[in-house]
Amino acid sequence: MSLRPLVLVVAPGDDIYRGYCLRQVADAYDVAVITTGPLTWEQPHVIDHEIVEDFEDEAGLFAAGEALAARHPVAGVVTWAEGHLTAVARLAEHLGLATTSVESVRTCRDKAASRAVFATHGVPSAQSIAANSLDEALAAAKAIGYPVVVKPASVGGSIGVIKAKTQHDLAAAYAFATRGVQLHGGDNTVVLVEEYLSGEEVSVECVTYQGVTTAVAVTRKELGPEPLFEEIGHTLAADDPLLATVAPIATAAVGRPAR
């Protein structure tokens, strides 16, 4: 019998895009997975498996998790599929495991909710107005001033994100953002019209442990041509001097910073 803790992975994805994630987890833990079909590339890395028809079917996901938990003591539940984060948080709560709260996950997945929390806590953020129709988007863009960025509120990966330079671009931009939601899903269908901020785009990589958040690295992004914001390259240096500047803002946005 294995002495290693078991981690339940939901939606491990495909080998080319996310295979390294599963292999790294399997290096340190026993792994069980929940997928929507038979095991293929995952087989060598897992000790147990359940199938669901749809990860967003709460009853089916809970039943699969319960079945695995009945056969093994589960130490934790994870997913690297952003679209399923809320469902997996619900599953972890259902199984009585430590997890980020469902409310917190929803706030992170909903850019409008994130902006509202930032404003409440004094974290600097671009001006943003939610729109549920083209008329509302036009009014929001007029209030903010062109150019604006139009994006889905709850889809990641720069999907549906586009710049509208003038009022003449707004209708096409709104349709593009709306189609991003339709093709890739999300926790809601709201579209945001936001202030355009020119400059280099970066992400700040953070680790939160026992409620304390530490910024550990800066990733500088290379973007494709406008009007899109597609990430086509990333550069990360361990000694990037920008980290000292952006770390306080990132840790304030995520949670309580390290002392």
Side-chain angles (χ1 to χ4, degrees):
M1 181 177 179
S2 174
L3 297 178
R4 302 198 308 173
L6 182 135
V7 171
L8 172 55
V9 176
V10 179
D14 65 87
D15 189 16
I16 294 175
Y17 191 52
R18 285 290 183 257
Y20 72 95
C21 296
L22 186 64
R23 282 188 285 274
Q24 289 181 3
V25 174
D27 282 344
Y29 301 94
D30 287 342
V31 179
V33 295
I34 299 177
T35 66
T36 54
L39 293 179
T40 54
W41 68 272
E42 309 97 335
Q43 184 75 60
H45 310 294
V46 307
I47 66 168
D48 207 346
H49 173 226
E50 285 286 331
I51 296 175
V52 296
E53 291 187 7
D54 184 351
F55 295 118
E56 297 305 310
D57 173 9
E58 185 173 283
L61 186 63
F62 284 9
E66 289 169 358
L68 290 167
R71 297 195 291 268
H72 314 275
V74 178
V77 181
V78 298
T79 186
W80 34 83
E82 184 173 343
H84 304 311
L85 285 172
T86 307
V88 171
R90 291 196 195 98
L91 173 62
E93 285 190 350
H94 179 72
L95 296 178
L97 299 170
T99 181
T100 302
S101 70
V102 173
E103 180 182 0
S104 294
V105 171
R106 284 175 175 162
T107 300
C108 291
R109 291 273 297 140
D110 183 338
K111 298 178 180 69
S114 296
R115 299 285 196 205
V117 173
F118 294 160
T120 298
H121 294 279
V123 179
S125 178
Q127 184 179 357
S128 177
I129 300 175
N132 290 289
S133 68
L134 177 56
D135 286 342
E136 290 184 4
L138 286 164
K142 182 178 180 180
I144 294 171
Y146 290 93
V148 294
V149 178
V150 184
K151 64 176 69 170
S154 65
V155 179
S158 300
I159 294 168
V161 183
I162 188 169
K163 180 180 178 181
K165 293 183 178 180
T166 69
Q167 179 177 339
H168 298 293
D169 303 323
L170 205 284
Y174 183 81
F176 181 80
T178 300
R179 182 158 176 77
V181 176
Q182 294 170 343
L183 291 176
H184 298 278
D187 292 353
N188 61 62
T189 59
V190 174
V191 168
L192 301 180
V193 179
E194 298 192 333
E195 174 186 10
Y196 172 72
L197 302 175
S198 62
E200 185 178 5
E201 184 170 325
V202 303
S203 64
V204 185
E205 320 312 331
C206 299
V207 174
T208 301
Y209 178 67
Q210 294 185 346
V212 177
T213 298
T214 305
V216 295
V218 173
T219 300
R220 297 181 183 256
K221 300 181 181 182
E222 181 181 352
L223 302 183
E226 291 189 355
L228 304 181
F229 295 84
E230 187 69 26
E231 299 153 6
I232 60 174
H234 300 82
T235 303
L236 186 150
D239 59 349
D240 195 319
L242 186 59
L243 180 61
T245 301
V246 299
I249 299 172
T251 54
V254 175
R256 182 161 56 93
R259 290 190 176 90

